[in-house]
Amino acid sequence: MMNLCIDQGNSRTKIALFDEQGKIVKNFIYKVFTSADIDRLFSLYPITDSIISSVVNIDPAVVNSLSRHSKHFILFDHLTPIPIVNTYATPETLGQDRLAAAVGAAAICPNTNLLIIDAGSAITYDFVSDKNEFLGGNIAPGIKMRLTILRQMTKKLPQVEVEENELIPLYGRNTRDAIAIGVIRGVTLEVKGYIRTLEERCDHFEIFLTGGNAPYIINNIHTPVRQEKHLVLKGLNDILEYNK
């Protein structure tokens, strides 16, 4: 029997099938995700239970299909019971992906101070205490967003694309490199700043890095981190199991 976990983001929908031991058996990425995809997944795999988290408006047909096919279905929101304490002042405004990532990280490293960095369309920095409390976090523009804003908010700067393994020297010798280096180095210095601040406040903490743009960061910060590609999906599976 399998759990179907769905993380619907701003640009992509990420899906994973978990076995009874909590291991990912299959994972998929969809640019467009519909109820027909739900029907197909249930026809191909022995899925019994499901959970969906979304930072955008969910298609009611997707919810109906999940509810119809699943023995146990969760539309994850701020009222869903979770295995950590959420101290966020406005839980109804908290992105479920941020909370799911916190649950996943706390399951891997319980009773530990955590910094969770999710580098997606936006970059989120979230904090969990050694008492397994979600304390809150911050949201900043993501790498591609920064590159796009530079193009849109100026008259002459070009749109720039960067590669995951691109070498980032101290300064650029042309405009393209100046933009690429400025954005990537700015993000990595931002990440290092959070790490340095926590080092001043905590005797020990673990750093988790996830999200589609994580490689851009991990290749340039030179700091030991736990890179968990499917941290949000793992957290969703933990929440589903907790409620079952």
Side-chain angles (χ1 to χ4, degrees), residues 31 50 58 65 121 148:
K31 287 187 177 180
S50 63
I58 304 177
S65 184
S121 299
T148 301

Side-chain angles (χ1 to χ4, degrees), residues 56-76:
V56 297
N57 292 328
I58 304 177
D59 182 354
V62 168
V63 174
N64 289 337
S65 184
L66 287 168
S67 179
R68 176 166 47 84
H69 284 296
S70 304
K71 179 180 178 182
H72 190 88
F73 166 63
I74 293 176
L75 176 58
F76 183 41

Side-chain angles (χ1 to χ4, degrees), residues 13-242:
T13 298
K14 289 147 282 186
I15 290 175
L17 299 177
F18 288 81
D19 64 18
E20 293 175 328
Q21 286 71 48
K23 303 295 183 183
I24 292 180
V25 178
K26 295 279 187 179
N27 65 280
F28 312 91
I29 295 176
Y30 293 82
K31 287 187 177 180
V32 178
F33 186 66
T34 69
S35 60
D37 297 308
I38 296 290
D39 295 338
R40 181 174 179 274
L41 287 168
F42 274 88
S43 70
L44 292 175
Y45 303 100
I47 301 166
T48 54
D49 306 302
S50 63
I51 182 171
I52 185 169
S53 164
S54 180
V55 298
V56 297
N57 292 328
I58 304 177
D59 182 354
V62 168
V63 174
N64 289 337
S65 184
L66 287 168
S67 179
R68 176 166 47 84
H69 284 296
S70 304
K71 179 180 178 182
H72 190 88
F73 166 63
I74 293 176
L75 176 58
F76 183 41
D77 63 17
H78 65 286
L79 299 176
T80 305
I82 58 174
I84 64 174
V85 178
N86 184 6
T87 70
Y88 208 62
T90 56
E92 68 279 1
T93 69
L94 175 61
Q96 289 97 345
D97 54 340
R98 293 172 59 192
L99 193 55
V103 169
I108 296 170
C109 293
N111 306 114
T112 305
N113 294 310
L114 305 174
L115 168 61
I116 302 150
I117 305 167
D118 190 340
S121 299
I123 302 175
T124 58
Y125 303 89
D126 289 307
F127 303 87
V128 174
S129 75
D130 56 6
K131 298 180 178 62
N132 292 328
E133 298 169 322
F134 180 84
L135 302 177
N138 301 320
I139 304 171
I143 290 171
K144 293 183 179 180
M145 190 181 297
R146 297 181 199 213
L147 293 168
T148 301
I149 288 171
L150 279 173
R151 171 67 186 94
Q152 293 178 346
M153 300 296 291
T154 62
K155 292 187 180 297
K156 292 187 176 181
L157 292 181
Q159 180 68 50
V160 170
E161 301 292 333
V162 294
E163 301 295 329
E164 288 183 2
N165 297 315
E166 185 168 341
L167 294 176
I168 303 297
L170 180 60
Y171 53 86
R173 295 176 61 86
N174 57 64
T175 300
R176 184 267 168 204
D177 288 353
I179 293 172
I181 294 166
V183 168
I184 299 297
R185 191 167 287 279
V187 168
T188 56
L189 289 172
E190 182 177 290
V191 170
K192 289 179 179 179
Y194 278 102
I195 294 171
R196 186 167 58 250
T197 300
L198 272 185
E199 287 174 339
E200 295 169 356
R201 301 186 181 191
C202 300
D203 292 333
H204 175 72
F205 64 95
E206 294 286 341
I207 306 165
F208 282 82
L209 181 61
T210 190
N213 291 327
Y216 294 94
I217 296 173
I218 201 168
N219 291 333
N220 290 287
I221 61 172
H222 310 296
T223 300
V225 301
R226 290 176 175 264
Q227 188 173 6
E228 295 284 344
K229 184 177 181 181
H230 303 297
L231 186 61
V232 173
L233 290 166
K234 181 194 174 340
L236 289 174
N237 189 62
D238 292 336
I239 292 166
L240 181 55
E241 286 297 318
Y242 180 76

